[in-house]
Amino acid sequence: MNINDLNALKKGTPTNQLLVTLGPGFYNKYREGIDYLIEAKYLEPYMKINYIESGDSFYYHPEPGTGKNATNLDYNKTISALTSLYNATKNPEIKQRYGYQLVRFNHYTRNYDVALKAFKTYVEPLRLKGAPLHYGT
């Protein structure tokens, strides 16, 4: 599902037949999850590390025409948005996903120490042992 479909659902004007079928109360019932999906879809094209040619880069070849990476986003604005969304979210599983986005974004902008701090600040305290924790480690 694309971001435009999700934004239309949020506005109450879905055109995607699946979302229309879910009914008018669907967004309100699952608001935190849908808002997370919108943010994740927005970040998705940028969630790549900045490619830097080196002696060890022989195994990695960026896809042609995919010049986007995490450094193309405004760092402070992105961190602020993710932190705000994290703090506003009540569902611990969704909160954990925002925490991982903070870790991931810092990793892809080569802020490795900040990424580790973000994990300890936003992910560890939730003490969730689900798939995202095991997938990310």
Side-chain angles (χ1 to χ4, degrees):
M1 182 150 315
N2 70 49
I3 192 170
N4 295 330
D5 289 335
L6 294 170
N7 277 319
L9 175 66
K10 183 175 182 171
K11 292 176 187 172
T13 57
T15 55
N16 179 299
Q17 191 55 45
L18 173 64
L19 298 177
V20 170
T21 304
L22 296 173
F26 185 81
Y27 172 75
N28 290 331
K29 187 174 181 179
Y30 299 104
R31 180 183 56 81
E32 286 186 347
I34 294 166
D35 287 347
Y36 169 76
L37 289 174
I38 290 169
E39 185 68 15
K41 285 285 189 180
Y42 168 74
L43 293 173
E44 183 178 37
Y46 300 97
M47 288 295 115
K48 298 176 186 88
I49 200 158
N50 181 20
Y51 177 71
I52 298 174
E53 185 74 35
S54 74
D56 295 325
S57 62
F58 63 90
Y59 64 91
Y60 176 75
H61 303 285
E63 295 176 33
T66 58
K68 292 181 181 180
N69 65 63
T71 63
N72 296 124
L73 294 170
D74 180 303
Y75 180 83
N76 292 326
K77 182 179 173 184
T78 303
I79 292 295
S80 178
L82 288 170
T83 304
S84 177
L85 289 163
Y86 176 93
N87 290 329
T89 300
K90 304 293 182 232
N91 181 309
E93 287 87 6
I94 303 298
K95 191 176 278 273
Q96 181 186 48
R97 291 178 179 273
Y98 281 122
Y100 275 119
Q101 290 288 358
L102 284 159
V103 171
R104 184 179 185 203
F105 180 65
N106 278 297
H107 172 79
Y108 289 160
T109 55
R110 298 183 188 274
N111 292 308
Y112 303 119
D113 290 339
V114 180
L116 182 58
K117 183 178 179 188
F119 182 82
K120 291 180 179 186
T121 302
Y122 299 107
V123 178
E124 272 186 349
L126 297 174
R127 299 178 187 213
L128 297 176
K129 302 294 184 198
L133 178 66
H134 298 291
Y135 180 73
T137 56

